[in-house]
Amino acid sequence: MTSSFSLGHLFTFTVILYCFSFLIIQLRIEHFIYRRVKAVYDNVSLLESSSLQEQQVTTDMATLTREVEKFAEGKKLEIESLKIRENYRKEFMGNVSHELKTPLFTVQGYILTLIDGAIHNETIRDKYLDRASKGLDRLIYIVKDLDMITKLETGDLHLVEEEFDIIEVVESVFDLLEMKAQKKNISLTFDIEYENPIYVYADKDKIQQVVTNLVVNSIKYGKSGGTTEVSIEDLIKNKVIVRTTDNGEGIEQKNIPRLFERFYRVDKSGSRKEGGSGLGLSIVKHILEAHHEKIYVESDFGVGSEFSFTLEKGKQVSPIKNSAVKG
């Protein structure tokens, strides 16, 4: 009886000791693996050490492997994203430098020529001063556009929204750009005769700049004898869509995704002779995004392009033809 009792206690004690020892060893191994793996991650800076949680799964090598692969893939994507941003930054800085350098050197050349004695020739003096003035105007134009984009991106440029007639805005843009269009024999026109006003709710000055930039872009890349046409159509219950269509050069599909980048030019060589800051379409995108509206692009290379954007309808109701977003 006593012998049986002693063996039972011994067996129980052995089992308890085994379980206790196993638990202690298991916890120590977990802690050891976690600490060592965490140290490796900290040293090579591949993973954020705070991402590793001190829990049971740290001793499961299959789970640990999956976690490492997941973290490594995330870091790889992050590095690729940073490389893309860095390339964009370098390209952007190069474009800014080029855009500012061209008018600066032009103005400097004219002024140095005048200082060297050309100022005494009245004809040359007036011509060079006029050209220097135009170069400075372009510099101011670029700086103002950059300032506007910066304010739009940081939210410092506040919109003053009101109800206004979009037809009236387009007509004023046509009047403003009439001479520029005539130089290329391009007609600025509506698709139909709008007898009634079409009211929208937005920042009037900013939307006028959107229309201006789109029409200027259309003229810049339009063909001599071509047409730039604007139409306003009913989209959905509370939206209208404004389309600017031309029969100009058109845009290759590979260039469309980058159209709204700052200083991005489809024609790397020829477009600068038309002037402008190279920021027009980027400003259009940022203004519309500030209004929580969208812009669409459709183009057939060699045939023409269409830029369209949405606006919120005003409370004053007027007849508008029906439409739908293309593409």
Side-chain angles (χ1 to χ4, degrees), residues 201-308:
Y201 186 76
D203 187 313
K204 183 177 180 179
D205 291 338
K206 299 298 182 296
I207 296 303
Q208 179 163 337
Q209 183 164 12
V210 167
V211 177
T212 300
N213 289 2
L214 290 178
V215 174
V216 165
N217 194 67
S218 177
I219 295 171
K220 182 187 297 185
Y221 295 101
K223 295 177 181 177
S224 180
T227 302
T228 293
E229 180 183 275
V230 175
S231 65
I232 298 95
E233 303 169 6
D234 207 4
L235 184 60
I236 55 177
K237 184 177 180 180
N238 65 327
K239 296 284 184 181
V240 299
I241 186 164
V242 182
R243 304 184 189 277
T244 304
T245 310
D246 64 62
N247 54 358
E249 299 177 3
I251 307 163
E252 292 184 87
Q253 290 300 310
K254 66 179 182 181
N255 292 315
I256 290 179
R258 299 191 63 188
L259 279 180
F260 299 99
E261 291 181 12
R262 287 176 284 185
F263 296 113
Y264 183 76
R265 296 179 186 270
V266 174
D267 182 356
K268 302 296 183 182
S269 58
S271 59
R272 288 188 174 87
K273 67 183 179 183
E274 297 286 349
S277 66
L279 298 167
L281 290 180
S282 184
I283 288 175
V284 165
K285 175 177 176 288
H286 282 87
I287 289 177
L288 291 173
E289 285 181 348
H291 281 83
H292 305 290
E293 301 292 351
K294 294 182 179 181
I295 184 162
Y296 306 90
V297 184
E298 290 186 10
S299 186
D300 290 326
F301 187 61
V303 177
S305 304
E306 177 183 286
F307 289 81
S308 55

Side-chain angles (χ1 to χ4, degrees), residues 23-221:
L23 182 62
I24 293 297
I25 293 171
Q26 179 76 3
L27 291 174
R28 291 301 299 167
I29 290 175
E30 284 183 1
H31 181 70
F32 175 78
I33 292 176
Y34 169 79
R35 186 172 59 186
R36 293 297 297 270
V37 172
K38 181 175 178 292
V40 172
Y41 292 161
D42 288 341
N43 289 334
V44 298
S45 301
L46 286 176
L47 303 172
E48 294 181 5
S49 59
S50 59
S51 299
L52 288 175
Q53 301 297 324
E54 200 164 353
Q55 54 190 349
Q56 284 290 112
V57 296
T58 53
T59 57
D60 183 346
M61 295 310 295
T63 302
L64 185 60
T65 300
R66 287 196 298 270
E67 288 297 309
V68 170
E69 289 175 348
K70 184 174 70 174
F71 292 144
E73 182 65 22
K75 290 299 177 181
K76 180 181 178 182
L77 292 174
E78 183 178 338
I79 291 171
E80 289 176 353
S81 176
L82 289 173
K83 286 180 178 179
I84 292 172
R85 291 182 182 181
E86 177 63 14
N87 289 335
Y88 176 79
R89 185 192 68 81
K90 289 179 180 179
E91 184 177 347
F92 172 70
M93 294 303 295
N95 285 330
V96 171
S97 175
H98 180 87
E99 295 294 339
L100 294 176
K101 179 174 63 177
T102 301
L104 274 174
F105 285 175
T106 300
V107 172
Q108 181 187 47
Y110 290 137
I111 292 176
L112 289 176
T113 302
L114 292 173
I115 291 174
D116 287 342
I119 193 170
H120 301 296
N121 186 315
E122 186 174 340
T123 303
I124 294 178
R125 180 188 64 199
D126 292 344
K127 181 172 69 173
Y128 279 19
L129 285 175
D130 180 63
R131 291 180 179 177
S133 177
K134 289 180 179 178
L136 289 174
D137 287 343
R138 187 180 177 194
L139 278 173
I140 294 170
Y141 190 64
I142 293 171
V143 172
K144 283 184 176 179
D145 282 355
L146 277 172
D147 182 58
M148 173 171 286
I149 287 180
T150 302
K151 288 179 178 179
L152 284 166
E153 288 179 339
T154 57
D156 292 337
L157 190 63
H158 301 291
L159 302 177
V160 181
E161 295 180 302
E162 59 181 311
E163 195 166 287
F164 62 91
D165 180 13
I166 187 64
I167 298 295
E168 181 183 313
V169 168
V170 176
E171 287 175 341
S172 66
V173 170
F174 282 174
D175 291 340
L176 179 67
L177 299 175
E178 183 179 8
M179 292 184 64
K180 186 178 184 70
Q182 284 180 350
K183 290 180 180 179
K184 294 188 71 171
N185 193 28
I186 291 176
S187 300
L188 304 179
T189 181
F190 285 102
D191 62 325
I192 61 172
E193 184 176 347
Y194 291 90
E195 297 179 354
N196 300 307
I198 299 175
Y199 293 100
V200 296
Y201 186 76
D203 187 313
K204 183 177 180 179
D205 291 338
K206 299 298 182 296
I207 296 303
Q208 179 163 337
Q209 183 164 12
V210 167
V211 177
T212 300
N213 289 2
L214 290 178
V215 174
V216 165
N217 194 67
S218 177
I219 295 171
K220 182 187 297 185
Y221 295 101

